[in-house]
Amino acid sequence: MISIQLKPKKEESLLRFHPWVFSGAIQHIEGKPAEGDLVEVLDSKRNFLAIGHYQIGSIAVRAVTFENEPIDIDFWNRKIQWAYAMRVSLGLVNPEKNNTFRLVHGEGDSLPGLIVDVYAETAVMQAHSVGMHETRQILAEAIVKNVPQVKNVYYKSETTLPFKAPIAPEDGYLIGKETVSLTALENGLEFHVDWLRGQKTGFFVDQRENRTLLERYAAGKSVLNMFCYTGGFSVYALRGGAELVHSVDSSTKAIQLTEKNVEANFPNDKRHKSFDEDAFKYLNNLSNIEQKYDLIILDPPAFAKHREALRNALKGYKRLNAKAFEQIKPGGIVFTFSCSQVVTKEQFRLAVFSAAAESKRNVRILHQLSQPADHPINIYHPEGEYLKGLVLWVE
Ligand code: SAH
């Protein structure tokens, strides 16, 4: 294995188990590793620190272990076993009620560069590093071996791998074939998951617990679900006894998926309507009080994917939330989210605060929300925190 030696004092973050080595910390590389190779990281005195996947770019190594151990089939098996054991202990594996969960959340599961979501019999795997791309078949086998419900593993990395890498990843089944049933169960509700055509791995598992909270607040309310995608929040609101639920998304495909999911759980339910429209336009057009809502959900796509986009993203969150505060009925509730990793909890809260002040409404924070336990944050890698939400009472 090729070794990478760090400059003096650059070992500190690795000694605290942070899994990234930045290229600026490197003193010397013995040999010429290819992107994706396993390399050994040493401190300036050549003491062992970690083993990880080599990458080209500002993050040069993503550590998979801090122990000097063989990285073989057994190693990857143990990693998947731990990840699965945690989901079992969280109560997420329950064939009658819930067969949808995130099995691997990258650094949060000490598997940097790997995402795996499980939907009934199918696991959808996404590699964000060439190292994980090259390990895909071993990982797929470890998943089928250790997760009893999984029979198929679909690989979906065409858009997630570094585009400069000299590989041409192809999406497709690594094990098994398309399942007969594409229906996944989340908390007893059915969702059609389309990993072939859908965004990310096909479904946003990360809102499960926040949808459950929404269900508790929905009884008797008129609910507006903005950026509905698969209609997750809408279906929970209907089960919670909402008086009416309106779902809005600017993608026709998303609206079709929402309608399909509503129909699967609440056939012919007249309480639901969907609108294929831009969110801002929709909010602007609510002109009279009869059209206003008791409960609004704002779960937009990440407004900032890079640090450079941060300022505009914060403006976007402010503008969107201000619109909701302007348009919600007195005594209404807003569930507002940001899934941009580069936007901190504090920055998001400040953007929402500015929106509230602008609307001159009395706003109180009822809950501060985050990502669920199957999207764990490695305590040594705080960058893994990305989803934040606020539930607000608007007087
Ligand atoms: N709330 C969803 C996830 C939202 S993903 C869930 O619980 O699963 C973001 C969605 O926003 C996508 O479906 C995308 O089509 C939609 N979208 C992006 N820009 C939009 C806009 N300007 N107006 C309305 N919808 C938009």
Side-chain angles (χ1 to χ4, degrees):
M1 198 184 302
I2 286 179
S3 14
I4 289 189
Q5 194 177 333
L6 302 187
K7 293 175 184 163
K9 297 219 175 80
K10 292 293 183 189
E11 71 283 2
E12 277 165 21
S13 67
L14 282 158
L15 289 173
R16 277 183 268 111
F17 308 112
H18 191 285
W20 297 346
V21 175
F22 289 97
S23 56
I26 295 175
Q27 175 86 291
H28 176 64
I29 302 180
E30 270 159 31
K32 263 201 164 156
E35 183 155 27
D37 280 357
L38 283 166
V39 293
E40 180 185 48
V41 184
L42 309 174
D43 70 8
S44 59
K45 299 194 181 88
R46 301 195 60 79
N47 295 307
F48 174 87
L49 291 168
I51 297 172
H53 285 135
Y54 180 69
Q55 338 190 127
I56 313 280
S58 97
I59 301 173
V61 182
R62 288 163 102 174
V64 296
T65 181
F66 296 94
E67 279 173 46
N68 201 350
E69 58 183 326
I71 312 297
D72 50 14
I73 290 177
D74 265 8
F75 172 85
W76 298 111
N77 247 317
R78 284 197 304 276
K79 290 268 186 180
I80 298 295
Q81 274 163 11
W82 269 118
Y84 183 60
M86 198 188 97
R87 276 67 186 177
V88 171
S89 76
L90 294 174
L92 292 173
V93 185
N94 176 353
E96 311 284 287
K97 221 177 137 222
N98 196 80
N99 59 21
T100 305
F101 52 90
R102 177 154 288 194
L103 173 66
V104 176
H105 186 60
E107 278 80 354
D109 283 290
S110 302
L111 285 163
L114 182 70
I115 297 291
V116 183
D117 286 333
V118 171
Y119 306 118
E121 294 185 340
T122 302
V124 182
M125 185 198 288
Q126 241 179 17
H128 292 255
S129 73
V130 178
M132 287 301 178
H133 169 72
E134 282 170 1
T135 320
R136 65 194 181 284
Q137 196 64 42
I138 292 176
L139 288 163
E141 275 154 31
I143 292 167
V144 171
K145 186 167 168 194
N146 293 295
V147 182
Q149 77 185 63
V150 174
K151 310 266 182 296
N152 315 299
V153 180
Y154 184 74
Y155 185 63
K156 191 178 181 187
S157 300
E158 275 175 10
T159 57
T160 57
L161 280 161
F163 69 94
K164 283 189 210 126
I167 47 169
E170 264 184 35
D171 291 351
Y173 287 88
L174 296 174
I175 295 181
K177 53 175 172 35
E178 196 161 331
T179 39
V180 184
S181 155
L182 298 171
T183 305
L185 266 182
E186 184 184 271
N187 286 326
L189 293 165
E190 287 181 16
F191 290 96
H192 175 89
V193 183
D194 186 346
W195 48 84
L196 294 178
R197 286 166 292 265
Q199 301 176 40
K200 308 262 171 85
T201 66
F203 187 68
F204 288 91
V205 202
D206 58 359
Q207 289 288 23
R208 182 199 316 106
E209 285 167 21
N210 302 330
R211 289 179 190 129
T212 305
L213 181 66
L214 172 91
E215 183 178 355
R216 267 172 45 197
Y217 281 103
K221 304 234 163 71
S222 58
V223 177
L224 173 62
N225 180 13
M226 292 301 233
F227 310 93
C228 63
Y229 186 33
T230 57
F233 282 104
S234 305
V235 176
Y236 277 74
L238 289 166
R239 187 166 70 178
E243 194 182 273
L244 74 88
V245 178
H246 289 169
S247 306
V248 177
D249 201 292
S250 59
S251 142
T252 309
K253 255 194 318 199
I255 292 296
Q256 287 165 350
L257 260 176
T258 294
E259 286 176 355
K260 200 167 181 170
N261 287 330
V262 168
E263 194 55 31
N265 294 283
F266 301 96
N268 296 317
D269 198 321
K270 298 280 176 291
R271 293 177 297 159
H272 182 258
K273 267 206 191 109
S274 45
F275 302 86
D276 185 345
E277 222 179 299
D278 174 78
F280 288 92
K281 234 193 224 158
Y282 187 89
L283 282 171
N284 274 332
N285 289 343
L286 302 176
S287 49
N288 57 47
I289 185 80
E290 287 80 57
Q291 286 182 311
K292 298 199 177 192
Y293 296 90
D294 300 310
L295 210 164
I296 299 179
I297 301 131
L298 303 172
D299 184 23
F303 282 169
K305 297 219 165 80
H306 317 280
R307 212 160 284 281
E308 304 81 66
L310 183 61
R311 263 174 65 102
N312 279 338
L314 293 173
K315 275 195 208 147
Y317 288 121
K318 181 180 165 197
R319 200 157 68 89
L320 179 64
N321 283 277
K323 271 276 155 263
F325 293 145
E326 225 173 79
Q327 295 292 18
I328 198 160
K329 275 190 194 164
I333 291 176
V334 177
F335 276 63
T336 182
F337 298 95
S338 161
C339 60
S340 308
Q341 193 256 325
V342 295
V343 174
T344 65
K345 222 175 354 204
E346 292 71 27
Q347 286 166 327
F348 178 60
R349 188 156 150 178
L350 193 61
V352 176
F353 155 84
S354 310
E358 197 167 86
S359 70
K360 301 199 173 61
R361 306 263 319 246
N362 222 333
V363 176
R364 296 185 182 86
I365 298 176
L366 306 181
H367 300 270
Q368 304 188 52
L369 307 178
S370 167
Q371 62 216 58
D374 55 342
H375 295 55
I377 302 158
N378 181 340
I379 200 159
Y380 306 113
H381 179 260
E383 296 91 329
E385 192 170 355
Y386 73 100
L387 183 64
K388 47 240 151 243
L390 295 168
V391 180
L392 306 161
W393 170 267
V394 188
E395 213 170 279

